[in-house]
Amino acid sequence: MEHDNKTQQKLAFGQIVQAVSSKCLSPAGERLARAMSFSSDRKVVEHEIGLTDEFLSILLSARAFPCEDFFDMSGELKRLKLQGTFIPLELLVQLNRSLKTICSCIDFFDQDEQNAYPLLKEICSQVFVEEQIVKSSNRLLASDGTMADNASEALFSIRQSKHRAEFEAGKRLRKLLEVSKKEGWTPPEAELTIRDGRGVIPIASSNKRRLQGFVVDESSSGQTSYIEPAEVVELHNRLRELEFEEKREIVRILTEFTDFLRPYIPTLLCAYNFLARIDFLRAKAKYALSINAGKPVLRQEEGFVWYEARHPLLEESLKRHGKSIVPLKIELNDKKRILIISGPNAGGKSVCLKTVGLLQYMLQCGLLVPAKQTSEFCIFEQIFIDIGDEQSIESDLSTYSSHLMSMKHLCKVANRRTLFLIDECGTGTDPNVGGAIAEAVLEHLNSKQAFGVVTTHYSNLKLLSERYSTICNAAMLFDTKALKPLYKLSIGTPGSSFAFEIARTIGLPDKIIKSAEEKVGSGFVDFEQSLQSMAVEKMEIRNKQSQLRLTDELLDNLVREYQDKIQDISNREKQIILEAKRQANEILKTANKQIEQTIHRIKTSKADKQTTMSLRKDIQHSIETHAEAVKQLESEVKQEQKPPENTKTHIPFDPSPIEEGDIVLVSGQNSYATVQKLKRNKAEVVCGQLNMTLPLSNLKKVNKASYLKQQKAASALRKPTFGGLMDKVNDLRAKFEYRLDLRGSRADEALAQLAKYIDTARLLGESEVSVLHGKGDGILKTVLRDYLKTNPEVESFRAERVEFGGEGITIIKLK
């Protein structure tokens, strides 16, 4: 417990608890918020964050959830277990209203026909409220929270008698007041008043003997006396008796109700535990909504990968000052278990460390975390934190001694389900000794397969990654031009402390800085500069790799596209040849038929000359028609195959002598070359990729300016391949939609569109897309999801959250 309290203190988890507690509606909910504790049980954590996530969905939905009369009646119900006790009237009102709230919560989940909140429905199913309790309390209470007149016959009769006595007393008092005003005993503006629960008449003290009655009170100045007339004293006494009778009857009614209630108290205590739980879950969900938190993925194996993780307290503080937080991306796994973060002071190393600790602790306390919902978390058995000064005067421990005590405990209990976070590892003593001990501790923790994040400035710790593959360096990036930290974590290379740069920024004299550089030696300065250069070069290489990957994928797509077109052309060619042969056969059949008809007609006309000439003309016309069609087709083919005109213009010659650097035309090759060196009557030239030595007689000097102008024009016409490809990528990105709408499509059409859509998304480097297919009968959804299971580019898929479309939309996570 003491260790858990220290962890909460170092992570400022108390502020999270306070924020959640402030959103509770009842003291019972606040108690649950303050009792939040760390759990290493995966099932417990998964259940808690699942409940909170479902309640977050309720807050985001259009349905209103009950949020009034969250009274905590547990303490009162426990008191009422004792025989002879009864519930006070004001607490009966709270009981009635809070039981109605519990019933409203149960009704809310009973109306969830789509089973959108299964976990909440499960805890709700264990709650029961006896309907007769609510009905009985409703019958006893009036709308204003008082005991109803008809709560019992005796109470009704008492109140009737009381109303009659009040009316009669009031009537007599008003009559006596009028007499007093007429006699001048009472000022004209005076009214009846109440003193000690009795109706009285204000009379000037000089006239108080003129009206028979009792002096009940007088004003502070003594000039006015308040007289209770003798003729209403008996009525007032009767009223007082009736009031006592009313109170006794109300107590009797409440005692009777409490006796009826007592057998149901155990069940009601469970119901109020449920109400407190709902209040607590609602507060956690409202806090998650305020920090834009969500439910991450819980992985089975140890390690985590977080995207856009944010420290909620820091983000809130920055927002108040009009600033924004820089999200964190961090990963630990079996291959890279320990992360050593280095970088400048005030660069965000400690914030990074605390973000990891706080978010992991929040998750294992059942809270949603401010990170992208595709982030993957695991459950650790224990979280060990060594941040800040732990000097203890009571225990006679120095700062470094307290750090060593913490390291001793960690080395003893660490295992593969331990997450340790150590800030400025090894500081507090001699740097050489402290660095060596820190190195040995990290080697020991690495051998025990523990997971951890460590911040340091020590070079020997930065070099550990060279000896152990499971230890990885990371750096907090620094803007070397603006000389300010970027608060971005870059994993893979160590960071520089930028001590000299920061010293110059704050205005430390150059003389002192140069002296310091000389004292540490050139080797250290070179090492720091190398770290800076490595970080810059790594970022440039990553950018180039990203561009090359996009280009390579685009080229693959283009190759596939051209191969498909070639195959299509080949198929069309075969079809055209087949069609041509078919048409040729038709022409031959037609020609044979025409010849046979001609022969028949010649025979029947007995070779009449005129008939023969006419038939010959018909045949000749048919031949010419087919010949004209063939000629037209040949003309069209030649026009399509006509090569483009050569736009290359002649470059004028230069009659001056050839010199080094000139552009020359190589005789007999119609190609240009650049002169590198002259050797008597020969010249070394570069033509394309070739180096040649040629006689000067074979070279003709051309106008260099004209040559360069032509090359520039040709270059403009011939756009660079990479630039062209990137333009296509940019066009694709501009037209890309992050949601594919397949509603109304047939299954085969939808599958073809989805395959093309996924290819485009992978080409553009997208990690998550969605498909809108609608709910309907669910046939299209089933077909699409069966396809996604077999697609190698798809890592996982899931239905959208209920408030954003539910089963009608599928979210696809790409590899």
Side-chain angles (χ1 to χ4, degrees), residues 50-121:
L51 287 168
T52 309
D53 185 56
E54 287 185 3
F55 216 107
L56 178 61
S57 299
I58 292 175
L59 296 180
L60 292 171
S61 69
R63 292 182 64 192
F65 190 83
C67 59
E68 294 181 350
D69 300 326
F70 274 68
F71 299 111
D72 179 21
M73 301 300 297
S74 301
E76 179 63 15
L77 288 172
K78 290 175 183 177
R79 186 185 70 82
L80 294 179
K81 286 182 179 181
L82 298 174
Q83 291 291 336
T85 56
F86 66 90
I87 186 169
L89 182 59
E90 62 273 13
L91 292 183
L92 176 61
V93 174
Q94 293 185 9
L95 178 74
N96 176 265
R97 291 179 180 176
S98 54
L99 286 178
K100 288 180 180 178
T101 299
I102 294 173
C103 293
S104 298
C105 293
I106 295 172
D107 291 342
F108 181 92
F109 294 115
D110 286 343
Q111 293 170 13
D112 176 27
E113 298 177 355
Q114 296 182 346
N115 198 29
Y117 317 111
L119 298 177
L120 288 169
K121 285 184 76 171

Side-chain angles (χ1 to χ4, degrees), residues 407-420:
M407 293 302 107
K408 172 189 171 183
H409 174 70
L410 172 60
C411 291
K412 182 179 179 181
V413 302
N415 56 43
R416 66 176 292 107
R417 292 192 63 199
T418 299
L419 174 66
F420 63 89

Side-chain angles (χ1 to χ4, degrees), residues 659-730:
E659 296 179 358
E660 293 179 2
D662 285 343
I663 306 298
V664 294
L665 176 66
V666 181
S667 300
Q669 295 187 20
N670 195 29
S671 57
Y672 295 94
T674 303
V675 177
Q676 296 291 314
K677 189 181 290 186
L678 294 173
K679 295 182 179 178
R680 296 185 182 178
N681 58 346
K682 293 184 179 182
E684 287 185 11
V685 297
V686 176
C687 183
Q689 301 295 323
L690 298 176
N691 288 332
M692 300 180 292
T693 302
L694 299 174
L696 290 175
S697 57
N698 291 350
L699 306 175
K700 290 185 179 179
K701 182 177 178 180
V702 297
N703 187 283
K704 191 172 184 178
S706 300
Y707 171 80
L708 294 175
K709 185 177 181 181
Q710 188 194 74
Q711 291 297 308
K712 185 176 181 181
S715 176
L717 291 172
R718 187 176 61 252
K719 211 169 187 180
T721 304
F722 180 76
L725 291 173
M726 291 311 296
D727 286 344
K728 290 188 176 182
V729 170
N730 292 334

Side-chain angles (χ1 to χ4, degrees), residues 570-669:
S570 177
N571 293 337
R572 287 177 59 193
E573 182 182 11
K574 291 176 182 178
Q575 291 177 0
I576 290 170
I577 293 172
L578 185 63
E579 180 65 20
K581 289 181 178 180
R582 188 186 64 76
Q583 290 181 6
N585 286 332
E586 289 294 327
I587 292 171
L588 288 174
K589 287 179 182 178
T590 304
N592 287 334
K593 188 182 289 186
Q594 189 175 6
I595 290 169
E596 288 175 1
Q597 289 175 355
T598 303
I599 293 171
H600 176 71
R601 290 177 65 183
I602 290 174
K603 286 180 179 180
T604 55
S605 64
K606 297 181 180 180
D608 181 74
K609 186 175 182 182
Q610 187 175 358
T611 303
T612 304
M613 289 294 292
S614 175
L615 292 173
R616 184 178 293 174
K617 285 181 180 180
D618 290 343
I619 293 172
Q620 185 64 31
H621 177 71
S622 178
I623 293 170
E624 288 176 355
T625 301
H626 286 296
E628 184 65 28
V630 171
K631 188 180 294 182
Q632 180 67 25
L633 185 60
E634 288 177 348
S635 175
E636 290 177 0
V637 171
K638 286 180 180 179
Q639 187 65 28
E640 289 177 0
Q641 295 179 347
K642 186 177 180 181
E645 295 182 4
N646 187 9
T647 56
K648 188 173 181 180
T649 58
H650 175 69
I651 300 173
F653 293 114
D654 188 340
S656 62
I658 295 175
E659 296 179 358
E660 293 179 2
D662 285 343
I663 306 298
V664 294
L665 176 66
V666 181
S667 300
Q669 295 187 20

Side-chain angles (χ1 to χ4, degrees), residues 15-16 19-20 23 59 282-293 312-313 316 362 367-368:
Q15 296 183 43
I16 304 291
V20 174
K23 297 184 183 298
L59 296 180
R282 175 185 173 278
K284 290 200 294 182
K286 285 188 73 68
Y287 180 67
L289 195 63
S290 69
I291 62 172
N292 194 22
L313 302 177
E316 183 182 359
M362 285 175 64
L367 292 169
L368 301 182

